Amino acid sequence: MAAPRVVLLLSGKRKSGKDFVAEELRSRLGPDVCTILRLSAPLKEQYAKEHGLDFQRLLDASAYKETFRQDMIRWGEEKRHADPGFFCRAAVEGAVQPVWVVSDTRRLSDVEWFRDVYGDVVQTVRVVATEETRKRRNWVFVTGVDDAESECGLDQGVTFDWVITNNGDELALDEQLEMLLQSLHRSL
């Protein structure tokens, strides 16, 4: 595994567009330069194995995933409590591109792990969208999910290097992503 030149830790509320922003970055940089890492993928894979569930269906934005979300959060918290870097180590395994975009950073312990291991190449990116925009994307507040650490863990305690507003204005999003990309090119 080659050491990354840039690690972008994306965070934001459900339906803020973290995956969309991550895909846009990879598309613009190219798959040879940029890979998307998901902390939730190893979590979901292990959870599916232990509970006899369909791993692929846990990866999409389906009702199937939502059925198990609260228990998966509880289970993941237990794993993290025992080993805070467990899912981070699993996510970076095999990554060789110079730019890593972690599309689902949710906890201060995740940010701390990446900063401890990769130092100054780590940048934090908060993806924000208004509640109205998130509702248009089919977000509905769920008690035990939207008020849990998995959604609120980075609401405080982190000064973000970048804040990307993703309310559906393509031109405004494009301008913000271009500024971020110009900054990255100086590191590559």
Side-chain angles (χ1 to χ4, degrees):
M1 174 179 68
R5 307 271 300 272
V6 176
V7 178
L8 296 176
L9 302 180
L10 272 59
S11 69
K13 301 292 187 183
R14 286 192 311 131
K15 300 293 184 181
S16 62
K18 299 177 298 293
D19 286 324
F20 181 79
V21 168
E23 292 292 347
E24 280 292 310
L25 291 168
R26 179 172 61 186
S27 172
R28 294 172 190 214
L29 289 166
D32 293 341
V33 173
C34 178
T35 188
I36 297 172
L37 305 176
R38 291 181 173 85
L39 300 176
S40 62
L43 182 154
K44 290 172 183 173
E45 184 173 22
Q46 191 63 36
Y47 181 83
K49 283 179 189 172
E50 289 187 20
H51 294 83
L53 300 173
D54 184 335
F55 168 58
Q56 289 303 317
R57 290 188 68 199
L58 289 177
L59 290 176
D60 62 27
S62 67
Y64 183 83
K65 175 177 77 176
E66 294 305 320
T67 303
F68 300 103
R69 184 185 285 271
Q70 283 183 288
D71 189 59
M72 210 168 14
I73 289 169
R74 179 202 53 75
W75 178 87
E77 294 304 329
E78 290 174 5
K79 290 282 188 199
R80 273 189 191 85
H81 184 72
D83 178 0
F86 180 82
F87 297 115
C88 298
R89 284 191 305 278
V92 303
E93 198 171 292
V96 296
Q97 292 87 337
V99 177
W100 297 355
V101 177
V102 181
S103 67
D104 58 353
T105 311
R106 297 185 177 278
R107 291 162 186 80
L108 193 54
S109 61
D110 299 336
V111 174
E112 290 168 346
W113 186 86
F114 277 97
R115 284 182 173 158
D116 288 347
V117 174
Y118 298 105
D120 290 342
V121 303
V122 174
Q123 296 182 43
T124 55
V125 181
R126 185 68 163 189
V127 179
V128 298
T130 64
E131 198 168 294
E132 178 183 310
T133 298
R134 293 168 60 217
K135 285 178 179 174
R136 280 198 310 269
R137 296 173 183 157
N138 298 317
W139 173 78
V140 175
F141 183 89
V142 176
T143 301
V145 173
D146 291 295
D147 53 0
E149 183 185 7
S150 61
E151 287 300 312
C152 304
L154 296 177
D155 288 355
Q156 300 171 351
V158 176
T159 301
F160 292 97
D161 299 302
W162 300 90
V163 176
I164 304 291
T165 301
N166 182 25
N167 284 323
D169 181 334
E170 290 180 37
L171 186 59
L173 180 61
D174 183 64
E175 289 173 0
Q176 295 170 86
L177 293 178
E178 282 305 314
M179 286 178 54
L180 174 56
L181 290 169
Q182 287 174 15
S183 171
L184 295 187
H185 284 298
R186 291 191 283 274
S187 301
L188 299 177

